[in-house]
Amino acid sequence: MSTPDLRKEFTEFFVKDHAHVPVKSSSLIPHNDKSLMFTNAGMVQFKDYFRNPALAPFKQATSIQKCMRAGGKHNDLDNVGYTPRHHTFFEMLGNFSFGAYSKSRAIQLAWRFLTEVVQLPKDRLRVTILASDQESYDIWKNQERIPEDKIVRCDAKDNFWTMGDGAGPCGPCTEIYWDTQDDSLGEDRWVEIWNLVFMQHYRNDQGQLENLPIVCVDTGMGLERLAAVVQSKDNNFGTDVFEPLFKGLHQIMTDSGIEFSPDINASPHQKIIVDHMRAMSFLIADGVIPSNVGRGYVLRRIIRRALRSGNQLGFTKPFMTKLYPYLLKSFGDGTYPEMESRQDSIKSVIQQEEEIFMGTLSKGLALLEPVFKQKDLADSKQVPAEVAFKLYDTFGFPLDLTVVIAEERGWTVDLAESGSSLVHSKALEWKEQGVFPTFSGYQRETLTGQSSTILASQSTGDGTGDMILSIEPCPFYGLGGGQSPDTGSVTLANGSQWRVVDVFTPYERGLAIRIQPLSEDSLTEEDHLCLHKGFQLTTHVDIVRRDGIAAHHSATHLLNAALRKMLGKSIMQAGSLVEPERLRFDFTHGKPVDPNQIREIEDWINAIALQSVEPVIKEYPLQKAIDMGSIAVFSEKYSDIVRVVDFPEVSMELCGGTHAEDLSMIYPFKILSEGSVAAGTRRIEAAVGKAASQYFIEQDRMVTRLNQDLKAYTTSAGNGLDLKVNKMKDQVVDLSRQYARLLEKLVNAPGRIAPKNGTLDFISASIGLEDLNVPVKIHELDTDIQDQDYYSKKANLLKEQEPEAVHVLVWKENMIVALDQKSFPKLNASKVLKSVLDHIGGGKGGGQPQLARGKMTGQGSLEKLVQLSEAASSL
């Protein structure tokens, strides 16, 4: 039975045969659960119903849920590729009851589906139960006629399910296992297929269990595992779930000249690539964008781990997006139509990450290789913390990849030291001390002269004399959501003033400011005393900078809305930067935004800005905010209560940043540039308000200077500068044509120095054909011609006019070798170039088989070449 058939049969069994309500898979981003990074089970979207079954709009339901187990508490990332059944992305089949049926009915439905619909032989199945759950034991034995030796009692660690570590619904579970009949696997001989959880208790804050009036049922069965069982495969990667992806990967490897044996089971690196391709594509489809924090960082790790495996297989160029058609084929039953409709955006994000990381990977490997050869590390075989940190901090090389590469060499990484280096370790200790300051900087009156108390302080320890403080309350905004941090100053209790040069978030809900003395001479012992915990200080946020940032942040929201309005709602934000004098906005789009669209965007935003719309900023439960239509960047992790910035009827986004009090502050809005940052990803830079006005002033001054320099005066015939520039453009076109004709004549003119003819034996020897007679012509060209096109055109002309000879052209330290491949099919211009350079003292260069360029670097190279040419001409 194929995987599409399994999906179909499962859904029809519960919907048509047993009246369950089909529920569409929820997003991989669990909007209703801040405790989870990703949706990792089918029951996640029903959590609220399990807590309060009366809220459920249905009594029984079924779903096929997209799941991700990479990052956070449930993380299978490091196991993928090395075990038969671990995946990052997988699908979970599930049926759920919110008081509709009992434990016996749930067991009956599961057993019938496996033994009657899928037709698994009963003698190869066994079940586990909680040791104290006699009811489940009796149901399996008496209702389903399972032999006693096939019912295994287990402890609470294995067969008691809880929603988390705190209070909540919980209960015993029973699991159905498949016998692989492979004794060599030991305990892994039995593969868990289906888990049935019976939520019949409530665990209170004291850990005591109370019986619930309504028993709920939550079941989950991995589709990939079931497919492996039904299709008689010893691991999930051998099923039709992954078959199209492996075929695609093998084709791409063949096209790239990478050798492999299709008869041998897939290597761990091949498995990592096909697994991670699914994970990255579905995450991006659900709105996650690669970044250095939260979900975005997990996505980036997944992409980079796949690329590293590609490098191990032999790939040297981006290749992942070539797999995408095979991914679509693997879900050919239309289960996830968004994967096809959003494919351009998904592929552009992957392509961008590939291009960035290919360079990073080569640098990382180049840095690690000498470490493995260091004699002083040969005994410990441990990569020092500072090396691992430099790879991460400077090159963005993930720590887990450093660990994997080290382990492949039999080495380890000093993780304890590396881990502490990856964060603001000086401030991280504050989390354990319960230091969670309040941000007070949304209200303008708090920005100047606010009194705050020092909650914690630390020296930076870098010799600068700077200090890191946490203060309560804190009006300084830290870097987040693309918004630049505030700057300003603080006045200590002794009247001393220190600059605030940075604001950052060392941990969730943490906020720290970095301050430095105005000068080393002004630093006193009293200052250090006043920087201790408990002392008061007065804060002063740089209001001019804050206003500029706020205006550009609000404009970023309007730009996002304008792009979605003009270009379509498939546009996804791929990054942003908000500064006092400009904004930068990256978004997924497959082609340039044309000038007319740019003007329409500017006009639309400026028209709205002139209406002086005020933002409505309120807090809502996350799910309500999403349901209201708020745009979210799902690479961010949101709390249960979120801040919604709403410019009524214009834009509504989840945002914790600071904004203009009135949209008139963003007038005028001007797009400064639009361009590509990667395949399928565009970038717009813009300025608003005072920054845009300054831009217009500078442009006006430049136009005035041009009018004066070009003597361009406005007349009745039109704008003088336009007329002048158009006339000059016509002149440039005419001059270019004249120049091209003159260059052509110069190329065809004979050289001042006659070429030297002969043969150079070492050219034949370089290809192992010593008896091959290769006629060579060496041409010394004029050195006073600046246009490099002349030399290339000359080489091509000589090759066409005299195809029976190899032509070597030299001027100054430059050299070109040109040859006709039809006349010399066994020669390669690049190899000839290298051979000549080696014989005259060295050099470097390369090119195509018919034409190659290089530079002579040896002492007296030109004289040696002349001597060679004279020797050649005498032959």
Side-chain angles (χ1 to χ4, degrees), residues 219 279 300 354 455 531 614 700 744:
T219 83
R300 179 160 280 169
E354 282 193 282
L455 297 179
L531 286 167
E614 294 183 4
D700 181 68
E744 197 66 29

Side-chain angles (χ1 to χ4, degrees), residues 411-431:
W411 284 52
T412 61
V413 179
D414 187 355
L415 288 174
E417 287 296 323
S418 300
S420 64
S421 298
L422 300 182
V423 295
H424 292 275
S425 56
K426 292 287 183 182
L428 194 59
E429 301 167 2
W430 299 345
K431 181 180 180 181

Side-chain angles (χ1 to χ4, degrees), residues 701-762:
R701 288 171 178 166
M702 181 181 69
V703 170
T704 299
R705 287 196 304 272
L706 287 172
N707 278 326
Q708 293 171 347
D709 293 344
L710 299 176
K711 296 182 172 54
Y713 306 109
T714 300
T715 66
S716 57
N719 182 286
L721 187 59
D722 273 350
L723 295 170
K724 199 80 168 181
V725 168
N726 287 330
K727 182 178 179 180
M728 292 175 69
K729 284 166 64 178
D730 292 340
Q731 291 174 339
V732 168
V733 170
D734 184 53
L735 288 171
S736 295
R737 289 173 181 155
Q738 293 182 44
Y739 176 78
R741 288 194 292 269
L742 290 173
L743 181 63
E744 197 66 29
K745 288 183 179 179
L746 186 60
V747 168
N748 284 281
R752 289 187 296 181
I753 303 175
K756 297 179 174 59
N757 306 315
T759 59
L760 298 177
D761 295 339
F762 59 80

Side-chain angles (χ1 to χ4, degrees), residues 215-236:
V215 176
C216 294
V217 175
D218 156 32
T219 83
M221 174 165 56
L223 175 62
E224 293 80 3
R225 288 194 180 199
L226 181 61
V229 169
V230 172
Q231 296 169 20
S232 302
K233 303 295 182 180
D234 59 5
N235 73 81
N236 296 359

Side-chain angles (χ1 to χ4, degrees), residues 25-37:
S25 171
S26 65
S27 168
L28 288 170
I29 313 304
H31 304 309
N32 64 333
D33 191 343
K34 73 170 184 177
S35 68
L36 294 176
M37 182 171 282

